[in-house]
C-alpha cells in the first residue's frame, strides 16, 4: 500500500514465458493487479490486490493458483502512526494440501520507522479462516493470529525501490501450527508509468491437514505499469 498523499494508485504486473523443447511445450503466465483509493481527508484507504499464476504443459497444469485480497485501512487523526485494518481474502492453489483458503480479519498497524528513504510497519490481527483440502477430505475452521513486519527503501535518485515483508501466522489454540510467508521485491522504473521488477516469494505451512510440512517458493521477473 502507498501511504503518501496520493489518493488513487493502480499497478499491474505481467509476465509470460513459452518454451518448446522438441514439441514439448510449457506456457507460464503471471498476472497481478493492485489498486487503492483514499478518502479526501486521507484517513480512509481502500486497497485491493489480485494475482493469477498458470503453468501449463499441454497435458496438465503444473501450477494453477489465484489470490484475492481486499483491505480497509483507517488512520487515527491524533495518532498518525497508528492505523486500524480490516480485510477479507480468498486464495486457491491446486498443488497445496490446502487447495483453498478463505478468511476475514481485523487488527492494528503501527508505523515504527518513518525516515526520508526508509519506511517500516508492523501489524497484528485476528483472523478467522476456512480451509478446504480435497487430498485430506477435510474442512477446517481456524482462529489464527497474523503478525507482519515490512520494511521499504527508496533512494533519492528514484532509480529503484526495495520492499520486504514477513508474516507469521500461528493458531491460537496450537502455536506449533503456524505459517510463514515472505516476499522480497525490487522495482526498477524505466519511465513514470513503466517498470521492471523482481519478486521472490516463500511460503511455509508447518502442519497441513495431512500432518505434513509443506513449503513453496518462486522467483518472478517481469514488467509492470503504474498509474
Amino acid at each position: 500500500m502507498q501511504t503518501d498523499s496520493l489518493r488513487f494508485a493502480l499497478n499491474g504486473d505481467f509476465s509470460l514465458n513459452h518454451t518448446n523443447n522438441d514439441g514439448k511445450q510449457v506456457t507460464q503466465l503471471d498476472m497481478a493487479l493492485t489498486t487503492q483509493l483514499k478518502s479526501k481527508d486521507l484517513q480512509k484507504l481502500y486497497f485491493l490486490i489480485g494475482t493469477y499464476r498458470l503453468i501449463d504443459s499441454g497435458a496438465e497444469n503444473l501450477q494453477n493458483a489465484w489470490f484475492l485480497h481486499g483491505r480497509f485501512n483507517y488512520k487515527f487523526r491524533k495518532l498518525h502512526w497508528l492505523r486500524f485494518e480490516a480485510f477479507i481474502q480468498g486464495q486457491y492453489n491446486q498443488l497445496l494440501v490446502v487447495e483453498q483458503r478463505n478468511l476475514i480479519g481485523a487488527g492494528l498497524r503501527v508505523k515504527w520507522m518513518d525516515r526520508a528513504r526508509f519506511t517500516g510497519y508492523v501489524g497484528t490481527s485476528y483472523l478467522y479462516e476456512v480451509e478446504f483440502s480435497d487430498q485430506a477430505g477435510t474442512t477446517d475452521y481456524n482462529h489464527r493470529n497474523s503478525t507482519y513486519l515490512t520494511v521499504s527503501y527508496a533512494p533519492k535518485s528514484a532509480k529503484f525501490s526495495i520492499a520486504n515483508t514477513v508474516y507469521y501466522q500461528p493458531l491460537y489454540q496450537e502455536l506449533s501450527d503456524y505459517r510463514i510467508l515472505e516476499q522480497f521485491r525490487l522495482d526498477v522504473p524505466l519511465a513514470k508509468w513503466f517498470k521492471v521488477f523482481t519478486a521472490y516469494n516463500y511460503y511455509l505451512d508447518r502442519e497441513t491437514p495431512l500432518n505434513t510440512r509443506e513449503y513453496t517458493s518462486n522467483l518472478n521477473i517481469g514488467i509492470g505499469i503504474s498509474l
Side-chain angles (χ1 to χ4, degrees), residues 104-132:
I104 188 171
L108 295 174
R109 170 185 176 104
V110 175
K111 179 185 285 188
W112 60 273
M113 181 169 58
D114 187 12
R115 299 181 180 177
R117 302 301 166 192
F118 287 93
T119 304
Y121 290 92
V122 63
T124 186
S125 300
Y126 161 82
L127 60 88
Y128 175 73
E129 66 180 14
V130 183
E131 297 183 330
F132 303 93

Side-chain angles (χ1 to χ4, degrees), residues 45-70:
L45 186 152
Y46 304 90
F47 176 82
L48 178 67
I49 181 171
T51 67
Y52 179 67
R53 161 170 284 196
L54 175 67
I55 304 177
D56 184 15
S57 67
E60 63 176 335
N61 288 336
L62 302 178
Q63 176 73 284
N64 187 9
W66 57 262
F67 173 85
L68 187 63
H69 179 96

Side-chain angles (χ1 to χ4, degrees), residues 130-142:
V130 183
E131 297 183 330
F132 303 93
S133 173
D134 289 337
Q135 297 182 46
T138 59
T139 300
D140 294 322
Y141 303 88
N142 298 321

Side-chain angles (χ1 to χ4, degrees), residues 184-202:
F184 174 85
R185 183 179 175 105
L186 168 66
D187 287 289
V188 181
L190 303 181
K192 288 185 177 181
W193 61 273
F194 182 72
K195 65 185 176 183
V196 295
F197 72 90
T198 298
Y200 173 76
N201 297 278
Y202 177 80

Side-chain angles (χ1 to χ4, degrees), residues 58-195:
E60 63 176 335
N61 288 336
L62 302 178
Q63 176 73 284
N64 187 9
W66 57 262
F67 173 85
L68 187 63
H69 179 96
R71 180 172 294 238
F72 169 75
N73 187 291
Y74 179 80
K75 181 179 180 180
F76 293 97
R77 188 180 298 276
K78 294 184 179 181
L79 302 174
H80 64 275
W81 46 269
L82 181 64
R83 297 171 182 266
F84 168 77
E85 296 184 307
F87 53 88
I88 186 169
Q89 178 176 300
Q91 62 189 111
Y92 171 83
N93 189 324
Q94 73 176 65
L95 298 183
L96 299 181
V97 174
V98 177
E99 291 95 345
Q100 186 167 348
R101 177 182 294 117
N102 301 320
L103 60 88
I104 188 171
L108 295 174
R109 170 185 176 104
V110 175
K111 179 185 285 188
W112 60 273
M113 181 169 58
D114 187 12
R115 299 181 180 177
R117 302 301 166 192
F118 287 93
T119 304
Y121 290 92
V122 63
T124 186
S125 300
Y126 161 82
L127 60 88
Y128 175 73
E129 66 180 14
V130 183
E131 297 183 330
F132 303 93
S133 173
D134 289 337
Q135 297 182 46
T138 59
T139 300
D140 294 322
Y141 303 88
N142 298 321
H143 302 274
R144 194 179 290 270
N145 174 263
S146 179
T147 298
Y148 67 89
L149 174 69
T150 180
V151 178
S152 59
Y153 170 72
K156 187 176 181 179
S157 64
K159 291 184 177 180
F160 69 92
S161 63
I162 296 174
N164 192 84
T165 303
V166 180
Y167 276 85
Y168 174 64
Q169 299 179 332
L171 287 177
Y172 284 109
Q173 66 271 29
E174 189 176 349
L175 296 179
S176 61
D177 186 346
Y178 59 84
R179 295 194 302 261
I180 293 177
L181 306 95
E182 198 260 354
Q183 182 186 80
F184 174 85
R185 183 179 175 105
L186 168 66
D187 287 289
V188 181
L190 303 181
K192 288 185 177 181
W193 61 273
F194 182 72
K195 65 185 176 183

